[in-house]
CSV table of all heavy atoms in Angstrom, one decimal:
chain,number,residue,atom,x,y,z
A,40,TYR,N,-5.2,9.7,4.1
A,40,TYR,CA,-6.4,10.0,4.9
A,40,TYR,C,-7.6,9.2,4.4
A,40,TYR,O,-7.6,8.7,3.3
A,40,TYR,CB,-6.7,11.5,4.9
A,40,TYR,CG,-7.0,12.1,3.5
A,40,TYR,CD1,-8.3,12.2,3.1
A,40,TYR,CD2,-6.0,12.5,2.7
A,40,TYR,CE1,-8.6,12.8,1.8
A,40,TYR,CE2,-6.2,13.1,1.4
A,40,TYR,CZ,-7.6,13.2,1.0
A,40,TYR,OH,-7.8,13.7,-0.2
A,41,VAL,N,-8.6,9.1,5.3
A,41,VAL,CA,-9.9,8.4,4.9
A,41,VAL,C,-11.0,9.4,5.1
A,41,VAL,O,-11.0,10.3,6.0
A,41,VAL,CB,-10.1,7.2,5.9
A,41,VAL,CG1,-11.5,6.6,5.7
A,41,VAL,CG2,-9.0,6.2,5.7
A,42,ARG,N,-11.9,9.4,4.2
A,42,ARG,CA,-13.1,10.3,4.2
A,42,ARG,C,-14.0,9.9,5.3
A,42,ARG,O,-14.5,8.8,5.4
A,42,ARG,CB,-13.8,10.2,2.9
A,42,ARG,CG,-15.1,11.1,2.8
A,42,ARG,CD,-15.7,11.0,1.5
A,42,ARG,NE,-15.0,11.8,0.5
A,42,ARG,CZ,-15.1,11.6,-0.8
A,42,ARG,NH1,-15.9,10.8,-1.3
A,42,ARG,NH2,-14.3,12.3,-1.6
A,51,SER,N,-16.5,4.0,2.7
A,51,SER,CA,-15.7,5.2,2.7
A,51,SER,C,-14.5,5.0,1.7
A,51,SER,O,-14.5,3.9,1.0
A,51,SER,CB,-15.1,5.6,4.1
A,51,SER,OG,-14.5,6.8,4.0
A,52,ALA,N,-13.6,5.9,1.6
A,52,ALA,CA,-12.5,5.8,0.7
A,52,ALA,C,-11.2,6.3,1.4
A,52,ALA,O,-11.3,7.2,2.2
A,52,ALA,CB,-12.8,6.4,-0.6
A,53,ALA,N,-10.1,5.8,1.0
A,53,ALA,CA,-8.8,6.2,1.4
A,53,ALA,C,-8.0,6.9,0.3
A,53,ALA,O,-8.1,6.4,-0.9
A,53,ALA,CB,-8.0,5.1,2.0
A,54,PHE,N,-7.3,7.9,0.6
A,54,PHE,CA,-6.6,8.7,-0.4
A,54,PHE,C,-5.1,8.9,0.1
A,54,PHE,O,-4.9,9.0,1.3
A,54,PHE,CB,-7.2,10.0,-0.7
A,54,PHE,CG,-8.7,9.9,-1.0
A,54,PHE,CD1,-9.7,10.1,0.0
A,54,PHE,CD2,-9.1,9.5,-2.2
A,54,PHE,CE1,-11.0,10.0,-0.3
A,54,PHE,CE2,-10.5,9.4,-2.5
A,54,PHE,CZ,-11.4,9.6,-1.5
A,55,MET,N,-4.2,9.1,-0.8
A,55,MET,CA,-2.8,9.4,-0.4
A,55,MET,C,-2.0,9.6,-1.7
A,55,MET,O,-2.5,9.5,-2.8
A,55,MET,CB,-2.3,8.2,0.3
A,55,MET,CG,-2.2,6.9,-0.5
A,55,MET,SD,-2.1,5.4,0.4
A,55,MET,CE,-3.8,5.3,1.1
A,57,LEU,N,1.5,8.1,-3.5
A,57,LEU,CA,2.4,7.0,-3.5
A,57,LEU,C,3.6,7.4,-4.4
A,57,LEU,O,3.4,7.6,-5.6
A,57,LEU,CB,1.8,5.7,-4.0
A,57,LEU,CG,0.5,5.2,-3.2
A,57,LEU,CD1,-0.1,4.1,-3.9
A,57,LEU,CD2,1.0,4.8,-1.8
A,67,LEU,N,0.8,-1.5,-6.9
A,67,LEU,CA,0.1,-1.8,-5.7
A,67,LEU,C,-1.0,-2.7,-6.1
A,67,LEU,O,-1.8,-2.4,-7.0
A,67,LEU,CB,-0.5,-0.5,-5.1
A,67,LEU,CG,-1.5,-0.6,-3.9
A,67,LEU,CD1,-0.7,-1.1,-2.7
A,67,LEU,CD2,-2.1,0.7,-3.6
A,69,SER,N,-3.1,-4.6,-3.7
A,69,SER,CA,-4.3,-4.8,-2.8
A,69,SER,C,-4.0,-3.9,-1.5
A,69,SER,O,-2.9,-3.4,-1.3
A,69,SER,CB,-4.6,-6.2,-2.4
A,69,SER,OG,-3.5,-6.7,-1.6
A,70,ALA,N,-5.1,-3.8,-0.7
A,70,ALA,CA,-5.0,-3.1,0.6
A,70,ALA,C,-6.0,-3.8,1.5
A,70,ALA,O,-6.9,-4.5,1.1
A,70,ALA,CB,-5.3,-1.6,0.4
A,71,SER,N,-5.7,-3.6,2.8
A,71,SER,CA,-6.6,-4.2,3.8
A,71,SER,C,-6.6,-3.3,5.0
A,71,SER,O,-5.7,-2.5,5.2
A,71,SER,CB,-6.2,-5.6,4.2
A,71,SER,OG,-4.9,-5.6,4.7
A,72,THR,N,-7.7,-3.4,5.8
A,72,THR,CA,-7.8,-2.6,7.1
A,72,THR,C,-8.8,-3.4,8.0
A,72,THR,O,-9.8,-3.9,7.5
A,72,THR,CB,-8.2,-1.2,6.8
A,72,THR,OG1,-8.3,-0.5,8.1
A,72,THR,CG2,-9.5,-1.1,6.1
A,77,ALA,N,-14.3,-5.4,3.6
A,77,ALA,CA,-13.8,-5.6,2.3
A,77,ALA,C,-13.1,-4.3,1.8
A,77,ALA,O,-13.5,-3.2,2.2
A,77,ALA,CB,-14.9,-5.9,1.3
A,78,VAL,N,-12.0,-4.4,1.1
A,78,VAL,CA,-11.2,-3.3,0.6
A,78,VAL,C,-10.9,-3.6,-0.9
A,78,VAL,O,-10.5,-4.7,-1.2
A,78,VAL,CB,-9.9,-3.1,1.4
A,78,VAL,CG1,-9.1,-1.9,0.9
A,78,VAL,CG2,-10.3,-2.9,2.9
A,79,GLU,N,-11.1,-2.6,-1.7
A,79,GLU,CA,-10.8,-2.7,-3.1
A,79,GLU,C,-10.1,-1.5,-3.7
A,79,GLU,O,-10.3,-0.4,-3.2
A,79,GLU,CB,-12.1,-2.9,-3.9
A,79,GLU,CG,-12.9,-4.1,-3.6
A,79,GLU,CD,-14.2,-4.2,-4.4
A,79,GLU,OE1,-14.6,-3.3,-5.1
A,79,GLU,OE2,-14.9,-5.3,-4.2
A,80,LEU,N,-9.2,-1.7,-4.7
A,80,LEU,CA,-8.6,-0.6,-5.4
A,80,LEU,C,-9.6,-0.2,-6.5
A,80,LEU,O,-10.2,-1.0,-7.2
A,80,LEU,CB,-7.3,-1.1,-6.1
A,80,LEU,CG,-6.3,-1.7,-5.2
A,80,LEU,CD1,-5.1,-2.2,-6.0
A,80,LEU,CD2,-5.9,-0.8,-4.0
A,81,HIS,N,-9.8,1.1,-6.6
A,81,HIS,CA,-10.8,1.7,-7.5
A,81,HIS,C,-10.3,2.9,-8.3
A,81,HIS,O,-9.3,3.5,-7.9
A,81,HIS,CB,-12.0,2.1,-6.7
A,81,HIS,CG,-13.0,1.1,-6.4
A,81,HIS,ND1,-14.3,1.1,-6.8
A,81,HIS,CD2,-12.9,-0.1,-5.8
A,81,HIS,CE1,-15.0,0.0,-6.4
A,81,HIS,NE2,-14.1,-0.7,-5.8
A,82,MET,N,-11.0,3.2,-9.4
A,82,MET,CA,-10.8,4.4,-10.1
A,82,MET,C,-12.1,4.9,-10.7
A,82,MET,O,-13.1,4.2,-10.8
A,82,MET,CB,-9.8,4.1,-11.3
A,82,MET,CG,-10.4,3.3,-12.4
A,82,MET,SD,-9.3,3.1,-13.8
A,82,MET,CE,-9.2,4.7,-14.5
A,92,MET,N,-17.5,4.6,-11.0
A,92,MET,CA,-16.4,4.0,-10.2
A,92,MET,C,-16.3,2.5,-10.6
A,92,MET,O,-17.3,1.8,-10.7
A,92,MET,CB,-16.7,4.2,-8.7
A,92,MET,CG,-15.6,3.7,-7.8
A,92,MET,SD,-16.0,4.1,-6.1
A,92,MET,CE,-17.5,3.1,-5.9
A,98,ILE,N,-2.7,-0.7,-9.0
A,98,ILE,CA,-2.4,0.7,-9.3
A,98,ILE,C,-1.0,0.8,-9.7
A,98,ILE,O,-0.1,0.3,-9.0
A,98,ILE,CB,-2.7,1.6,-8.0
A,98,ILE,CG1,-4.2,1.6,-7.7
A,98,ILE,CG2,-2.2,3.0,-8.3
A,98,ILE,CD1,-4.6,2.4,-6.5
A,108,LEU,N,-3.7,9.3,-5.2
A,108,LEU,CA,-5.0,8.7,-5.0
A,108,LEU,C,-5.9,9.8,-4.4
A,108,LEU,O,-5.5,10.3,-3.3
A,108,LEU,CB,-4.9,7.5,-4.0
A,108,LEU,CG,-4.4,6.1,-4.6
A,108,LEU,CD1,-3.1,6.2,-5.2
A,108,LEU,CD2,-4.5,5.1,-3.5
A,109,GLN,N,-6.9,10.2,-5.1
A,109,GLN,CA,-7.7,11.4,-4.7
A,109,GLN,C,-9.1,11.2,-5.1
A,109,GLN,O,-9.4,10.4,-6.0
A,109,GLN,CB,-7.0,12.6,-5.3
A,109,GLN,CG,-7.0,12.6,-6.9
A,109,GLN,CD,-6.2,13.6,-7.5
A,109,GLN,OE1,-5.4,14.3,-6.8
A,109,GLN,NE2,-6.4,13.9,-8.8
A,112,GLY,N,-10.6,10.2,-8.7
A,112,GLY,CA,-9.6,9.5,-9.4
A,112,GLY,C,-9.4,8.1,-8.8
A,112,GLY,O,-10.3,7.4,-8.3
A,113,LEU,N,-8.1,7.7,-8.7
A,113,LEU,CA,-7.7,6.5,-8.1
A,113,LEU,C,-8.0,6.6,-6.6
A,113,LEU,O,-7.8,7.7,-6.0
A,113,LEU,CB,-6.2,6.2,-8.3
A,113,LEU,CG,-5.8,5.9,-9.8
A,113,LEU,CD1,-4.3,6.0,-9.9
A,113,LEU,CD2,-6.3,4.6,-10.2
A,114,HIS,N,-8.4,5.5,-6.0
A,114,HIS,CA,-8.6,5.5,-4.5
A,114,HIS,C,-8.7,4.1,-4.0
A,114,HIS,O,-8.8,3.1,-4.8
A,114,HIS,CB,-9.8,6.3,-4.2
A,114,HIS,CG,-11.1,5.9,-4.8
A,114,HIS,ND1,-11.4,6.2,-6.1
A,114,HIS,CD2,-12.1,5.1,-4.3
A,114,HIS,CE1,-12.6,5.6,-6.4
A,114,HIS,NE2,-13.0,5.0,-5.4
A,115,ILE,N,-8.8,4.0,-2.7
A,115,ILE,CA,-9.0,2.7,-2.0
A,115,ILE,C,-10.3,2.7,-1.4
A,115,ILE,O,-10.6,3.5,-0.5
A,115,ILE,CB,-7.9,2.4,-1.0
A,115,ILE,CG1,-6.5,2.4,-1.7
A,115,ILE,CG2,-8.1,1.1,-0.3
A,115,ILE,CD1,-5.3,2.3,-0.8
A,116,MET,N,-11.2,1.8,-1.8
A,116,MET,CA,-12.6,1.8,-1.3
A,116,MET,C,-12.6,0.9,0.0
A,116,MET,O,-12.0,-0.2,0.0
A,116,MET,CB,-13.6,1.2,-2.3
A,116,MET,CG,-14.0,2.2,-3.3
A,116,MET,SD,-14.9,3.7,-2.7
A,116,MET,CE,-16.3,3.0,-1.8
A,117,LEU,N,-13.3,1.3,1.0
A,117,LEU,CA,-13.6,0.6,2.2
A,117,LEU,C,-15.0,0.2,2.3
A,117,LEU,O,-15.9,1.1,2.4
A,117,LEU,CB,-13.1,1.4,3.4
A,117,LEU,CG,-11.8,2.1,3.4
A,117,LEU,CD1,-11.5,2.9,4.6
A,117,LEU,CD2,-10.7,1.1,3.2
A,118,PHE,N,-15.4,-1.1,2.3
A,118,PHE,CA,-16.8,-1.5,2.3
A,118,PHE,C,-17.1,-2.2,3.6
A,118,PHE,O,-16.3,-2.8,4.2
A,118,PHE,CB,-17.0,-2.5,1.1
A,118,PHE,CG,-16.9,-2.0,-0.2
A,118,PHE,CD1,-15.7,-2.2,-1.0
A,118,PHE,CD2,-17.9,-1.2,-0.8
A,118,PHE,CE1,-15.6,-1.7,-2.3
A,118,PHE,CE2,-17.8,-0.7,-2.1
A,118,PHE,CZ,-16.7,-0.9,-2.8
A,132,ILE,N,-4.0,0.9,7.7
A,132,ILE,CA,-4.2,0.3,6.4
A,132,ILE,C,-2.9,-0.4,6.0
A,132,ILE,O,-1.8,0.1,6.2
A,132,ILE,CB,-4.5,1.4,5.3
A,132,ILE,CG1,-5.8,2.1,5.7
A,132,ILE,CG2,-4.6,0.8,3.9
A,132,ILE,CD1,-6.1,3.3,4.8
A,133,THR,N,-3.0,-1.6,5.5
A,133,THR,CA,-1.9,-2.4,5.0
A,133,THR,C,-1.9,-2.3,3.4
A,133,THR,O,-2.9,-2.8,2.8
A,133,THR,CB,-1.9,-3.8,5.5
A,133,THR,OG1,-1.9,-3.8,6.9
A,133,THR,CG2,-0.7,-4.6,4.9
A,134,LEU,N,-0.9,-1.9,2.8
A,134,LEU,CA,-0.7,-1.8,1.4
A,134,LEU,C,0.1,-3.0,0.9
A,134,LEU,O,1.2,-3.3,1.5
A,134,LEU,CB,-0.1,-0.5,0.9
A,134,LEU,CG,-0.7,0.8,1.3
A,134,LEU,CD1,0.1,2.0,0.9
A,134,LEU,CD2,-2.1,0.9,0.8
A,135,THR,N,-0.3,-3.8,-0.1
A,135,THR,CA,0.4,-4.9,-0.5
A,135,THR,C,0.8,-4.7,-2.0
A,135,THR,O,0.0,-4.3,-2.8
A,135,THR,CB,-0.5,-6.2,-0.4
A,135,THR,OG1,-0.9,-6.4,0.9
A,135,THR,CG2,0.3,-7.5,-0.9
A,144,ILE,N,0.4,1.7,7.1
A,144,ILE,CA,0.3,3.1,7.2
A,144,ILE,C,-0.9,3.4,8.2
A,144,ILE,O,-1.7,2.5,8.5
A,144,ILE,CB,0.1,3.8,5.8
A,144,ILE,CG1,-1.3,3.3,5.2
A,144,ILE,CG2,1.2,3.6,4.9
A,144,ILE,CD1,-1.7,4.2,4.0
Side-chain angles (χ1 to χ4, degrees):
Y40 63 95
V41 172
R42 178 180 286 162
S51 186
F54 309 100
M55 63 200 72
L57 300 171
L67 173 67
S69 68
S71 62
T72 178
V78 179
E79 296 177 357
L80 305 179
H81 276 234
M82 70 178 294
M92 183 177 63
I98 293 177
L108 278 60
Q109 60 191 15
L113 295 168
H114 58 282
I115 298 171
M116 282 299 301
L117 311 177
F118 294 101
I132 298 174
T133 301
L134 304 175
T135 303
I144 63 167

